Amino acid sequence: MTVITSIEDLRVLAKKRVPRMFYDYADSGAWTESTYRANESDFHKIKLRQRVAVNMENRSTATRMIGQPVAMPVAIAPTGLTGMQHADGEILGARAAKKFGIPFTLSTMSICSIEDVAAATDHHPFWFQLYVMKDRDFIERLIDRAKAANCSALVLTLDLQILGQRHKDLKNGLSAPPKLTAATLLNLMSKPRWCLGMLGTSRRGFGNIVGHVKGVENMGSLSEWTARQFDPGLNWGDVEWIKNRWGGKLILKGIQDVEDAALAVNSGADALIVSNHGGRQLDGAESSIRALPKIVAAVGSQIEVHMDGGIRSGQDVLKARALGAKGCYIGRAFLYGLGAMGEKGVTKALEIIHNELDLTMAFCGHTTINTVDQGILLPAPD
């Protein structure tokens, strides 16, 4: 593929280059995947209002997310096993985000550790996403490590107390690093670029956990540990404890309901993310873009509202902005770029989204992202 014009082009290339179990891990949802599909398809139903004879000079997509300047209202979402899409994937993603001027969010379940990413980006601020484990001592140390690494925001995920069932992961026998079965070996033989990259790095396990938890020194003990450590008892009291322990900017991820949004406001968090975990948890839940307007109407004047789920273009970003989201997160769009071409692919994904956002904003009669509102959208058909 010589000319890449869209996130879909990157997806096609990533599918060719990334081993099946890791491509499927990124490009899948829970159960029937209805919510996963709706996250993307519901954007297509929103139509834009085109304007003409408007001065389109001096355009700017620059704005702020939780007070931090960003080149466009987009952050890279936390994604687990990113370093299995491409060797040292989290480092490459963080570098691309730093150069582009947007936030990068590192997952608790990353392959490269907090310290790896900090060192590779000269301690440039990035965001860290936290899963709540039963081992509170480990959580405290994880928060302290994020502080030491100059993380400028903590993203607390609330919708993964228990794990949704993803059929493809079960069928593929997902593990990191991959277990070398006959089927896996056959698939890896068709991915020489990926294999060469992995041979050139020592980062093949969960870097934030292995060596940082007593009794977890190898991959076998890790899988057992994670299965029993995700905390189904997570509650708003834990949010308060984490907020106090962290002491910095706090973003709550996984809000889909107006009642939960009100509780998020009461928690004192700085922002919330309207998110259904990319359709990977509750299949049959409402798409994020459909849930967004109700939550903005209920709490948008009290807390900064962000969203993720289904963002595949700059037009999607603009539509979310028009419906009240102060920022959007890209997960799969970022992973497709990473799997396709490493750091260059991430940069390409960001360039595609930014270009689409800039041009569509102009076609809708605006030269700055901060003036965009529902006026750029056509009324929904009856």
Side-chain angles (χ1 to χ4, degrees):
M1 188 177 293
T2 55
V3 179
I4 293 175
T5 60
S6 66
I7 299 299
E8 174 62 12
D9 287 346
L10 292 171
R11 185 197 68 77
V12 171
L13 191 54
K15 189 173 183 179
K16 293 177 180 177
R17 293 181 170 177
V18 178
R20 183 185 301 113
M21 71 167 61
F22 299 121
Y23 174 82
D24 282 352
Y25 172 77
D27 195 31
S28 65
W31 287 312
T32 68
E33 300 188 333
S34 66
T35 299
Y36 162 49
R37 293 191 299 272
N39 273 349
E40 187 174 352
S41 63
D42 282 352
F43 270 106
H44 301 163
K45 300 171 186 176
I46 302 170
K47 301 304 176 184
L48 297 163
R49 181 180 170 219
Q50 183 175 342
R51 303 299 303 277
V52 297
V54 176
N55 187 338
M56 295 180 180
E57 297 175 309
N58 303 315
R59 298 189 303 277
S60 174
T61 61
T63 185
R64 289 181 176 269
M65 291 175 67
I66 58 166
Q68 299 180 17
V70 293
M72 60 179 172
V74 172
I76 290 181
T79 55
L81 287 86
T82 299
M84 288 289 117
Q85 301 292 325
H86 189 287
D88 299 333
E90 290 90 357
I91 288 172
L92 303 183
R95 284 175 174 168
K98 175 185 175 182
K99 291 174 185 175
F100 209 89
I102 67 166
F104 173 83
T105 315
L106 182 70
S107 170
T108 291
M109 305 307 292
S110 61
I111 301 300
C112 301
S113 70
I114 297 170
E115 293 79 10
D116 289 335
V117 173
T121 55
D122 298 321
H123 284 78
H124 179 76
F126 61 96
W127 297 354
F128 181 68
Q129 174 270 336
L130 181 69
Y131 285 126
V132 179
M133 309 291 187
K134 293 177 183 177
D135 186 342
R136 292 301 198 256
D137 178 65
F138 168 68
I139 294 300
E140 289 183 350
R141 285 184 283 112
L142 201 54
I143 291 172
D144 292 344
R145 289 167 59 198
K147 287 182 184 179
N150 198 30
C151 291
S152 55
L154 187 71
V155 179
L156 176 59
T157 296
L158 298 176
D159 63 350
L160 203 89
Q161 294 165 267
I162 55 176
L163 196 64
Q165 181 168 311
R166 301 152 199 172
H167 297 334
K168 292 175 184 175
D169 292 349
L170 295 174
K171 291 177 179 178
N172 288 331
L174 179 70
S175 64
K179 295 176 182 176
L180 299 181
T181 65
T184 301
L185 282 169
L186 188 62
N187 186 243
L188 290 176
M189 288 170 62
S190 68
K191 316 294 180 185
R193 292 168 59 104
W194 185 92
C195 292
L196 285 172
M198 284 299 167
L199 287 173
T201 183
S202 60
R203 302 179 183 98
R204 303 187 193 99
F206 291 94
N208 289 325
I209 298 173
V210 175
H212 296 280
V213 178
K214 185 178 180 180
V216 181
E217 306 300 334
N218 56 64
M219 293 299 93
S221 57
L222 175 67
S223 60
E224 181 183 347
W225 181 81
T226 54
R228 66 173 187 266
Q229 273 298 323
F230 280 93
D231 190 356
L234 173 65
N235 59 67
W236 290 100
D238 296 317
V239 175
E240 182 180 2
W241 166 69
I242 289 167
K243 181 183 183 335
N244 292 334
R245 177 78 188 195
W246 169 245
K249 295 283 188 179
L250 179 65
I251 303 170
L252 301 182
K253 182 175 182 288
I255 305 296
Q256 282 282 107
D257 186 87
V258 168
E259 289 185 30
D260 288 335
L263 292 169
V265 171
N266 293 338
S267 76
D270 298 278
L272 65 83
I273 307 174
V274 178
S275 172
N276 52 41
H277 217 96
R280 296 164 64 77
Q281 285 294 90
L282 176 61
D283 189 36
E286 190 173 39
S287 70
S288 295
I289 194 62
R290 284 182 62 88
L292 175 65
K294 292 174 285 188
I295 291 175
V296 169
V299 302
S301 63
Q302 304 168 69
I303 190 171
E304 193 166 310
V305 177
H306 302 168
M307 71 83 63
D308 77 6
I311 301 286
R312 301 290 187 274
S313 70
Q315 289 202 341
D316 294 340
V317 173
L318 192 71
K319 290 172 182 178
R321 183 79 183 193
L323 291 173
K326 297 300 183 183
C328 300
Y329 296 70
I330 55 169
R332 292 184 176 96
F334 148 65
L335 293 177
Y336 298 150
L338 178 67
M341 299 188 299
E343 184 176 342
K344 289 182 179 179
V346 178
T347 299
K348 186 65 177 178
L350 296 177
E351 289 173 346
I352 288 168
I353 288 172
H354 180 263
N355 183 57
E356 292 172 345
L357 173 62
D358 173 60
L359 293 178
T360 306
M361 179 179 71
F363 286 134
C364 291
H366 289 258
T367 56
T368 175
I369 195 69
N370 291 324
T371 64
V372 169
D373 57 20
Q374 288 196 47
I376 72 163
L377 304 180
L378 291 172
D382 295 332

